[in-house]
Amino acid sequence: MTGAEFLARYRETETAVQAYVAGLPLWVNIWRGWLFLIFTLGILFVMRKVEARWLAVTMIASLFGFNLVAMFHGVGRFPGIAFVLLWTPLAIYMTRRRSRPQGDRGFDQLYHIWLDAVTVTLWISIAFDVYNVLYALIRGVA
């Protein structure tokens, strides 16, 4: 596969993923909106907090990974394996980091609230994705 063929196939996959997402139940897209919101808020902390930087890198890698799995396996539930594989180590890391003492400053307090929200959100999302991957494997669907 040439670079041009890869890019064309990747764009086709992105279009198929967007169509798939549009057909998901409303509650799933509300959850996806929450994910986008809480992860994007990490921008506030990315310059001063290493956890926010790890979140940003992992999100980019996992979205690319999701599209790669979808590109070669098909759009559906199984590509969530990319999230399971990349978010689980991140969630463990975030869980360990959130027990650090909180600072007195408003920035640190806001940061710890955000870190708690990210950590809980990650674990819930991982549970959803594990279910989806197992469903795809058991049912033999994408």
Side-chain angles (χ1 to χ4, degrees):
M1 177 182 301
T2 68
E5 291 170 335
F6 176 83
L7 289 176
R9 189 165 175 190
Y10 191 85
R11 280 192 289 268
E12 289 172 13
T13 301
E14 283 184 324
T15 302
V17 167
Q18 290 174 3
Y20 175 76
V21 167
L24 291 172
L26 178 61
W27 74 267
V28 175
N29 283 312
I30 290 170
W31 180 254
R32 292 179 78 249
W34 169 254
L35 286 168
F36 181 78
L37 173 67
I38 199 71
F39 293 162
T40 302
L41 286 173
I43 291 170
L44 299 171
F45 310 107
V46 79
M47 296 303 287
R48 294 178 54 194
K49 302 293 185 177
V50 68
E51 297 86 359
R53 291 190 291 274
W54 277 115
L55 177 71
V57 168
T58 304
M59 290 307 104
I60 292 167
S62 65
L63 290 173
F64 183 69
F66 181 92
N67 283 350
L68 282 179
V69 174
M71 196 167 113
F72 292 104
H73 189 274
V75 175
R77 294 175 182 245
F78 184 75
I81 190 74
F83 297 134
V84 173
L85 294 176
L86 293 168
W87 289 10
T88 301
L90 178 66
I92 292 167
Y93 173 75
M94 295 292 203
T95 300
R96 289 182 174 177
R97 300 294 287 192
R98 65 189 280 264
S99 63
R100 293 185 344 196
Q102 295 186 4
D104 292 332
R105 300 183 323 209
F107 179 83
D108 286 332
Q109 290 174 344
L110 182 61
Y111 166 73
H112 285 284
I113 292 168
W114 172 81
L115 187 58
D116 286 344
V118 164
T119 303
V120 170
T121 299
L122 279 168
W123 285 116
I124 292 169
S125 288
I126 290 165
F128 287 149
D129 287 318
V130 165
Y131 171 82
N132 282 331
V133 170
L134 290 175
Y135 183 92
L137 289 172
I138 292 168
R139 295 287 180 130
V141 298

